[in-house]
Amino acid sequence: MNDLKLIVENINSKKLDLALKQCEDYSVKENIYLINNFIGVIYSLKNNQELAEEFFRKSHKLNEKFEDPLKNLYIINIRKKKYSEAIKIAQKLSELNSTNDLFIYQLAYAYELNNDNLSAIEKYEKCKDLNGKNKLKALNNIGNIYLKNNKPKTSLKYFLEANEIAKNDKIIINNILLNYIKLKDENKSDEYFEISKKLDSKYIEFIYNEAQYYIFKEKFDKAIELLNNHKDKSKFL
């Protein structure tokens, strides 16, 4: 087994001190960019994110076309809520591989967290059009952006398209239910209320929607009871 594979094996086996020593002893210059990324991963697993970030940046500086340190830096900056920096990193990744729908999705997500909804929607649309693994999440996120901005007619279109990809996904179904409640479509609200209830009646999003449904149906006693029983949940504050 070569030295690089052995380092990876030890990282995966959580033999972090051994892997770090092997990285420090490694001397093949053309692979130092890989070693710096490995050291970054090791420090990240040791919960030392400052050192991890330092080595990921060293790795990227040595090989700007190597994706792994950028992917790791993106995660660190999202966790640190440094969304502007995450956007810059995601842009670099999407430039390196413009057909990778994950990179486009991550760029859109960083824009969304940075409260730039127009840019987020634009990138989510691009992700959707690539028809990759992240199409469902992109559709759901676009729908949620429009729903939060009180545009249920527009958001519904995206949730229904998402439902064609993943039938009876409880997240999507509950989003469709909430849309129909906001649109005051009683027949569709009744239909999707029953579907959502059968899927998972204990799902917190369903319980919230259930309260909204009872308010819509003017069953205020049931709505108040539900709200009181779950007032300790952040969703109901």
Side-chain angles (χ1 to χ4, degrees), residues 101-117:
D101 78 316
L102 174 60
F103 295 163
I104 307 301
Y105 175 86
Q106 288 177 325
L107 178 55
Y109 183 62
Y111 275 127
E112 183 181 355
L113 292 175
N114 205 42
N115 296 313
D116 185 347
N117 286 336

Side-chain angles (χ1 to χ4, degrees), residues 20-175:
L20 184 58
K21 179 68 168 58
Q22 290 167 334
C23 287
E24 290 168 348
D25 292 342
Y26 193 86
S27 59
V28 181
K29 285 187 177 180
E30 58 264 31
N31 290 331
I32 295 302
Y33 73 97
L34 291 170
I35 294 299
N36 278 311
N37 186 64
F38 289 156
I39 295 173
V41 171
I42 291 166
Y43 279 121
S44 182
L45 291 170
K46 284 174 168 283
N47 293 316
N48 189 334
Q49 301 308 322
E50 286 187 15
L51 271 179
E53 186 171 357
E54 178 184 328
F55 279 94
F56 290 141
R57 291 194 182 281
K58 283 182 180 180
S59 176
H60 174 60
K61 190 173 182 179
L62 288 169
N63 186 344
E64 294 186 350
K65 292 185 178 181
F66 182 39
E67 295 174 355
D68 286 14
L70 288 173
K71 291 190 284 188
N72 292 322
L73 285 167
Y74 174 85
I75 293 169
I76 286 174
N77 281 282
I78 289 292
R79 287 175 178 168
K80 291 168 72 173
K81 299 184 179 180
K82 291 186 175 181
Y83 302 133
S84 294
E85 185 63 25
I87 288 168
K88 292 177 186 176
I89 293 164
Q91 284 173 331
K92 287 181 180 180
L93 281 167
S94 62
E95 287 165 7
L96 284 173
N97 189 344
S98 61
T99 61
N100 186 319
D101 78 316
L102 174 60
F103 295 163
I104 307 301
Y105 175 86
Q106 288 177 325
L107 178 55
Y109 183 62
Y111 275 127
E112 183 181 355
L113 292 175
N114 205 42
N115 296 313
D116 185 347
N117 286 336
L118 289 177
S119 295
I121 289 170
E122 178 189 347
K123 297 304 178 183
Y124 280 136
E125 288 279 7
K126 184 175 179 181
C127 174
K128 174 180 76 74
D129 292 342
L130 287 170
N131 289 311
K133 292 181 180 179
N134 295 282
K135 181 175 182 177
L136 178 67
K137 290 196 294 183
L139 286 165
N140 186 61
N141 288 8
I142 297 171
N144 276 321
I145 290 172
Y146 282 120
L147 187 58
K148 287 174 187 174
N149 285 277
N150 201 30
K151 295 181 178 179
K153 283 185 179 180
T154 305
S155 63
L156 180 60
K157 178 182 74 171
Y158 289 95
F159 291 136
L160 290 174
E161 186 175 348
N163 192 44
E164 290 299 312
I165 298 171
K167 287 287 187 183
N168 293 332
D169 178 283
K170 68 180 180 181
I171 296 172
I172 303 297
I173 291 295
N174 272 280
N175 283 333

Side-chain angles (χ1 to χ4, degrees), residues 212-223:
Q212 301 303 309
Y213 175 77
Y214 287 140
I215 291 169
F216 172 48
K217 301 286 281 188
E218 298 184 357
K219 296 179 180 179
F220 299 115
D221 289 344
K222 286 188 174 183

